[in-house]
Amino acid sequence: MGFSHSWIAVQGLTCEQALDALGMEVSDVQADLLEGVALLEWSDDWLVVLSEDDQDATGGDLAELGRLGRAYVAYGVDVDAPYSQACGREGRNDWVVTVKPDQGRVSVVGQPPAQLDSIIAAARAGQADSEIDLAFEIPAELAESICGFRIGKGDPETIRHVTLKSTGIPRSVQTGRRPGFFARLFGRG
């Protein structure tokens, strides 16, 4: 059984805005491992939302949070598929970087950050001395270079996340506003 997860870091998004947009609230459940959806406030005005679903942050429900901040970066990985992907936006530049080891290449769409070239060069230079596929780590390295976050890296005591649960109230990400009282009451929001 492999490992998969995804996360999105959004700059300028508050916890309250994210919870409202997702229709979620903080759960009483404390977990050391990622289960379901979790949230943590990160450095330099970045909010990170994590999911045990490998595509949730790059193309699923969590991806919608990206439009609510000044900039965002998202990362997803599934070692069984296998693939790893980072995507993001800063200003008007949207980009996607995907690595599928079975295809043996790095796929780039859009205008990725300038540091991608040096990350690719370092992976290729180190590949001769490594038995693992260093190209597979390129999206993770790129995402980390933007917001400073990478799951499993750093002191676990400093990376405390809170687990989230659904509120049962429809999400406001799609409309940009919370449904009215009667829409929520009759389930039409």
Side-chain angles (χ1 to χ4, degrees):
M1 184 165 147
F3 176 68
S4 66
H5 71 275
S6 65
W7 55 265
I8 184 167
V10 184
Q11 193 172 39
L13 182 65
T14 67
C15 288
E16 293 78 19
Q17 290 169 322
L19 292 171
D20 181 54
L22 293 170
M24 299 185 112
E25 63 187 1
V26 174
S27 167
D28 294 334
V29 176
Q30 296 296 318
D32 293 330
L33 299 175
L34 178 60
E35 295 176 12
V37 178
L39 177 142
L40 74 102
E41 293 180 83
W42 198 242
S43 62
D44 295 329
D45 198 27
W46 289 97
L47 182 75
V48 178
V49 183
L50 307 99
S51 174
E52 64 184 351
D53 181 308
D54 64 299
Q55 296 181 11
D56 207 7
T58 58
D61 290 341
L62 297 184
E64 295 295 321
L65 294 175
R67 69 179 186 82
L68 300 177
R70 293 187 301 275
Y72 83 92
V73 60
Y75 172 74
V77 63
D78 185 341
V79 296
D80 287 334
Y83 85 95
S84 63
Q85 181 179 70
C87 59
R89 183 197 82 244
E90 185 173 2
R92 296 177 184 228
N93 296 326
D94 290 317
W95 53 269
V96 179
V97 175
T98 307
V99 174
K100 294 183 178 180
D102 57 339
Q103 295 179 359
R105 65 184 174 88
V106 177
S107 170
V108 179
V109 177
Q111 293 182 299
Q115 64 266 36
L116 177 62
D117 292 335
S118 63
I119 292 169
I120 291 173
R124 288 184 178 152
Q127 190 60 60
D129 298 328
S130 179
E131 293 181 15
I132 62 169
D133 184 0
L134 296 180
F136 195 70
E137 295 296 316
I138 289 171
E141 294 281 336
L142 180 59
E144 180 184 13
S145 75
I146 295 167
C147 68
F149 178 77
R150 186 166 179 177
I151 199 166
K153 189 171 184 181
D155 181 3
E157 293 299 315
T158 64
I159 303 176
R160 290 283 181 212
H161 63 269
V162 293
T163 303
L164 305 181
K165 65 180 181 180
S166 175
T167 60
I169 298 171
R171 299 176 350 169
S172 61
V173 168
Q174 297 163 354
T175 62
R177 61 181 178 78
R178 187 180 200 124
F181 170 75
F182 290 110
R184 290 192 314 266
L185 180 65
F186 295 108
R188 296 183 184 164

